[in-house]
Amino acid sequence: GINAEYGVFSTIWIRGQRLRLDIMLSRIGFRSAFQKHTPIASPTRHLRYYSTPNSSVPSILQILQSSNAIHNEIKRFGVNKRFSDMAIHGNIVYIAGQVPKNTQLDITDQTKDVLAQIDKLLDQAGTDKTRILMSTVYLSDMKNYEGMNKAWEEWVTSGNTPPRATVQATLANPEWKVEIVVTAAT
């Protein structure tokens, strides 16, 4: 849009965040900004060209740099001496391997227990299982594959089944039959 002071305001998306930019430009710069319709190979170079270094309005480059700082923050949850239950970086949620709380259950119920824990962590991160980007399932024995899949198929949402790898591994506790790691978008 255009304001009365020969300024330009625009809504742009930077790494998933919507920003409104108010940029003061001269009449010549204003015209050239709107006459240029070629794709931008380097957004930073383009933004530096159209930013106003002598203006009290922050340059687009400064806004981009502050946006990068926001996205470089890492938030950790359930931190203990060895690991965190979950970390969020930018718009990505990383959930550590979740294991069953009740080891006396069969594989299907251990898997349901683990998936319920994942649901709680995803909720804490402000997302849900429809936003899972990747999952890795570790089974203590591949003989448990069908029992794990029974719980998994009840849990996933039709049309939103994430990519998944399933491998056999020696788990830290011999009573655990399953451990699941998830990466999701916020």
Side-chain angles (χ1 to χ4, degrees):
I2 304 167
N3 71 23
E5 300 291 327
Y6 296 108
V8 178
F9 66 88
S10 179
T11 301
I12 64 170
W13 290 87
I14 299 175
R15 295 188 182 172
Q17 287 195 347
R18 184 174 183 226
L19 298 175
R20 178 187 158 142
L21 303 178
D22 291 279
I23 307 159
M24 299 304 295
L25 301 170
S26 69
R27 285 184 190 204
I28 295 168
F30 177 82
R31 286 191 185 119
S32 64
F34 279 92
Q35 290 172 353
K36 190 169 182 107
H37 296 290
T38 56
I40 302 167
S42 170
T44 304
R45 215 174 316 135
H46 174 75
L47 296 172
R48 203 176 285 147
Y49 178 78
Y50 287 116
S51 66
T52 55
N54 297 327
S55 171
S56 61
V57 177
S59 73
I60 298 174
L61 187 58
Q62 290 169 322
I63 293 169
L64 277 173
Q65 288 168 340
S66 68
S67 173
N68 287 340
I70 291 168
H71 288 284
N72 284 328
E73 181 183 356
I74 299 172
K75 298 176 192 170
R76 299 182 196 283
F77 301 83
V79 179
N80 67 39
K81 191 175 177 177
R82 292 187 182 161
F83 60 88
S84 301
D85 284 335
M86 176 174 61
I88 301 174
H89 179 256
N91 295 332
I92 306 296
V93 179
Y94 302 90
I95 296 178
Q98 298 300 301
V99 294
K101 292 182 180 182
N102 184 346
T103 59
Q104 302 308 308
L105 301 173
D106 67 6
I107 183 59
T108 302
D109 288 332
Q110 279 196 14
T111 305
K112 287 179 182 179
D113 181 15
V114 169
L115 295 172
Q117 292 175 58
I118 290 169
D119 276 336
K120 286 179 185 173
L121 288 166
L122 290 170
D123 185 58
Q124 186 178 359
T127 191
D128 62 48
K129 62 187 168 192
T130 65
R131 309 273 298 152
I132 293 175
L133 300 170
M134 182 63 188
S135 180
T136 305
V137 178
Y138 299 95
L139 294 174
S140 61
D141 190 327
M142 287 306 284
K143 292 177 187 172
N144 292 323
Y145 186 73
E146 289 306 316
M148 178 277 299
N149 269 335
K150 181 178 183 220
W152 178 269
E153 289 168 5
E154 290 173 8
W155 180 72
V156 292
T157 307
S158 180
N160 287 304
T161 52
R164 185 188 87 181
T166 305
V167 296
Q168 181 173 323
T170 302
L171 303 180
N173 180 337
E175 295 181 336
W176 294 337
K177 294 177 175 72
V178 62
E179 181 171 351
I180 301 176
V181 176
V182 168
T183 304
T186 56

